[in-house]
């Protein structure tokens, strides 16, 4: 049994559809290749994608876990885990989204402290809403990764978020500029983005990592960073994911 505490990394954004879930999976692939035990906690409660993208069919999920904790039916964590491979486990978002609004924030710290004893890394997939669930998740994470694109709305909202972090004197977040989704559809360069945000982005995935047939990988439940062909074809992006995975583990803490 592992005794040290896991690193808890939340992947979030200020806009939807920017590549959070793909980033979570790509980071999980890198950690798993380094023989780290990874738990993906799918907290995108209303439009979860992790189970779908990994072709999993969970029997239990985060709702049944909180409900069983609440009703003293919880016996062991394994009952709520769905395995992807030797090193990657998942706690799925509710299969029935009607249950999502019944998840109580008060169990989040309890769950995170339980899983922290078993895994090396906990990767939390979120949605971009500043609701109580997400605020609790961010509050209880060691490191927060914001994924942004070159979209002007995204960048404006990120700039506001940076000032909020400044006001709160919180520094445990980093920014990934992800150009890979919108190949050829952005007008701002990485330098423009840095100037606009008045801060350099911490990580950058260029649009050379745009994968035309990404849906083929998704329908086969493949994690890009674990795929042989992708690893050979997109060496630069893979090395950025490796660098990002390492530095998120070291992390800036408040
Ligand atoms: N490298 C890539 N190349 C091509 N398409 C990509 C790439 N990465 C992500 N996508 C596609 O972009 C879309 C958005 O990605 P993803 O679902 O990871 O974003 P998200 O921020 O999690 O979205 P949401 O806010 O809806 O949860 C998906 O259709 C995904 O397949
Ligand atoms: Mg998502």
């Amino acid at each position: 049994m592992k005794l040290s505490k896991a690193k808890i990394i939340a992947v979030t954004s200020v806009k939807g559809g920017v590549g959070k879930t793909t980033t979570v999976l790509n980071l999980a692939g890198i950690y798993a290749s380094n023989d780290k035990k990874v738990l993906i906690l799918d907290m995108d409660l209303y439009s979860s994608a992790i189970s779908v993208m990994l072709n999993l069919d969970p029997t239990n999920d985060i709702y049944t876990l909180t409900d069983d904790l609440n009703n003293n039916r919880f016996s062991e964590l394994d009952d709520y885990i769905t395995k992807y491979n030797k090193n990657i486990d998942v706690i799925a978002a509710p299969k029935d989204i009607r249950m999502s609004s019944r998840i109580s924030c008060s169990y989040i710290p309890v769950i995170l402290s339980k899983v922290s004893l078993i895994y090396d890394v906990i990767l939390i997939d979120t949605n971009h809403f500043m609701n109580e669930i997400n605020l609790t998740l961010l509050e209880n994470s060691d490191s927060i990764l914001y994924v942004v694109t070159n979209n002007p709305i995204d960048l404006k909202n990120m700039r506001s978020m940076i000032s909020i972090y400044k006001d709160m004197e919180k520094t445990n977040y980093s920014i990934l500029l992800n150009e890979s989704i919108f190949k050829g559809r952005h007008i701002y360069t990485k330098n423009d983005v840095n100037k606009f945000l008045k801060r350099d982005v911490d990580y950058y995935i260029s649009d050379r990592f745009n994968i035309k047939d990404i849906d083929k990988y998704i329908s086969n439940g493949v994690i890009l960073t674990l795929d042989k062909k992708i690893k050979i074809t997109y060496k630069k992006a893979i090395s950025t994911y490796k660098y990002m995975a390492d530095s998120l583990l070291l992390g800036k803490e408040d």
Side-chain angles (χ1 to χ4, degrees), residues 13 15-23 44 47 53 125-128 178 180-181 209-212 214-215 218 224:
S13 64
K15 186 181 173 298
V18 295
K20 293 179 293 297
T21 304
T22 313
T23 302
D44 187 359
S47 55
M53 284 167 86
D125 192 17
T126 67
N127 58 38
H128 64 286
N178 180 21
S180 65
I181 297 183
F209 192 56
N210 181 269
I211 296 166
K212 274 198 209 89
I214 194 160
D215 289 345
I218 293 171
L224 299 172

Side-chain angles (χ1 to χ4, degrees), residues 38-49:
V38 183
L39 175 73
I40 301 175
L41 183 55
D42 188 356
M43 295 300 289
D44 187 359
L45 302 177
Y46 295 94
S47 55
S48 66

Side-chain angles (χ1 to χ4, degrees), residues 60-111:
N60 270 312
D61 55 50
I62 187 73
Y63 168 70
T64 54
L65 173 53
T66 54
D67 191 46
D68 288 353
L69 283 166
N70 194 32
N71 292 296
N72 291 323
R73 286 190 301 254
F74 174 87
S75 80
E76 53 183 319
L77 199 66
D78 257 3
D79 298 341
Y80 306 88
I81 301 288
T82 310
K83 278 206 116 23
Y84 176 70
N85 69 16
K86 179 168 84 74
N87 286 336
I88 302 177
D89 287 352
V90 172
I91 295 182
K95 248 185 177 173
D96 180 345
I97 60 162
R98 288 172 300 179
M99 298 303 147
S100 296
S101 55
R102 298 194 190 174
I103 294 172
S104 156
C105 291
S106 56
Y107 287 105
I108 288 172
V110 178
I111 293 167

Side-chain angles (χ1 to χ4, degrees), residues 11 26 34 44 65 89 104 125 127 137 151 155 186 188 190 211 215 236:
V11 178
N26 288 342
N34 292 342
D44 187 359
L65 173 53
D89 287 352
S104 156
D125 192 17
N127 58 38
L137 288 167
N151 172 294
L155 292 172
H186 46 83
Y188 302 120
K190 181 183 158 193
I211 296 166
D215 289 345
K236 184 120 191 262

